Amino acid sequence: MGVYCCKRVFDGSEQGKAVISYSGDSGRRGKGIKMAKRMGRRALSQPAEQLAPELLGKLLCRRTDKGIFKYRIMETECYCGEEDTACHASKGKTRRTRVLYEKGGTSYIYLCYGMHALFNVVSGKEGHPEAVLIRGVEGYNGPGKLTRAMEIDRTLNEEDMTVSRKLWLEDDGYRPEYVRAKRVGIDYATREYRDILWRFIVDDGKYKPVK
């Protein structure tokens, strides 16, 4: 439950997850899994505050030499414009942050502490900087953990996920319950933006977010 792989089936016992072949018959798919559709430009161009809860339960998909991994998204945070003092674009467009001004559905991947790749989905209208940070997926409750597991790194920065064969998002119709909380790791932001409830966490009794 949580990892799906085309071409090859992995053991998965190390993480305590069931691993299924996505190419088998439909009866072997995980609970709640239906035929999934790639999320397109229109869906991914929603404002970040709307897209962040919308992405909960969606499938984050990554094609590697080993096969295609698909993990269900369990936790997100949104960052909304230059006015949001926690957003990387709060000081305007730079070489690093220019991707945040791209079309919705573009990937924004940056290094945290010079070692952890953190994956974001650029959202909203082109020209307005906003994005959704994927903080956790089923089996991995941390943004650095999930990128390591899925082999997501800086080489995938600025990938157009509406057409990419390497990185994309799928919707299989699953809509989980969720709770809201304050974002984490943003002590540098003003109080208004430190206190806003822009963190969204699947409330299924199983997923345990990092505090």
Side-chain angles (χ1 to χ4, degrees):
M1 183 171 60
V3 186
Y4 307 88
C5 178
C6 297
K7 299 182 182 177
R8 182 175 173 187
V9 181
F10 296 90
D11 180 13
S13 58
E14 183 180 343
Q15 292 296 332
K17 304 181 294 292
V19 183
I20 345 172
S21 169
Y22 209 54
S23 58
D25 61 42
S26 59
R28 294 190 60 211
R29 293 193 180 105
K31 182 179 180 181
I33 298 293
K34 301 176 183 179
M35 290 299 293
K37 295 182 180 180
R38 180 191 287 253
M39 296 185 70
R41 185 82 64 204
R42 182 175 180 180
L44 297 175
S45 294
Q46 298 178 75
E49 189 177 358
Q50 295 178 24
L51 183 61
E54 180 79 11
L55 286 179
L56 295 175
K58 302 301 186 290
L59 298 171
L60 176 57
C61 309
R62 169 76 170 110
R63 184 191 300 272
T64 72
D65 292 338
K66 301 171 186 174
I68 298 176
F69 298 102
K70 300 189 179 188
Y71 286 80
R72 199 176 289 286
I73 296 171
M74 304 297 282
E75 182 180 355
T76 61
E77 286 179 349
C78 63
Y79 292 85
C80 306
E82 294 178 358
E83 63 275 19
D84 178 1
T85 53
C87 180
H88 286 176
S90 62
K91 293 179 173 58
K93 184 185 288 189
T94 66
R95 183 176 180 183
R96 178 195 188 192
T97 65
R98 65 187 181 187
V99 62
L100 289 169
Y101 295 78
E102 293 293 334
K103 296 178 181 178
T106 304
S107 65
Y108 171 42
I109 303 168
Y110 64 91
L111 287 181
C112 181
Y113 301 119
M115 57 188 294
H116 303 296
L118 303 192
F119 165 69
N120 302 257
V121 180
V122 174
S123 59
K125 295 181 179 179
E126 186 175 7
H128 186 263
E130 50 188 291
V132 176
L133 169 66
I134 308 302
R135 283 198 56 86
V137 297
E138 206 167 25
Y140 296 96
N141 62 345
K145 293 178 182 178
L146 75 89
T147 54
R148 283 196 300 274
M150 299 188 72
E151 300 181 22
I152 296 173
D153 58 27
R154 285 272 301 156
T155 63
L156 294 169
N157 188 43
E158 299 188 48
E159 193 82 5
D160 183 349
M161 293 184 289
T162 66
V163 296
S164 175
R165 289 179 53 80
K166 299 176 182 178
L167 186 66
W168 67 95
L169 295 152
E170 290 182 356
D171 182 358
D172 68 352
Y174 179 57
R175 301 290 185 271
E177 297 292 323
Y178 65 89
V179 295
R180 299 172 67 122
K182 296 180 183 180
R183 295 174 293 181
V184 298
I186 56 167
D187 292 343
Y188 54 86
T190 58
R191 183 172 181 177
E192 175 188 1
Y193 285 99
R194 289 199 308 268
D195 291 344
I196 200 165
L197 304 180
W198 276 351
R199 184 183 182 191
F200 306 88
I201 308 164
V202 169
D203 186 20
D204 64 352
K206 297 177 182 178
Y207 179 75
K208 304 298 182 185
V210 176
K211 296 183 179 179

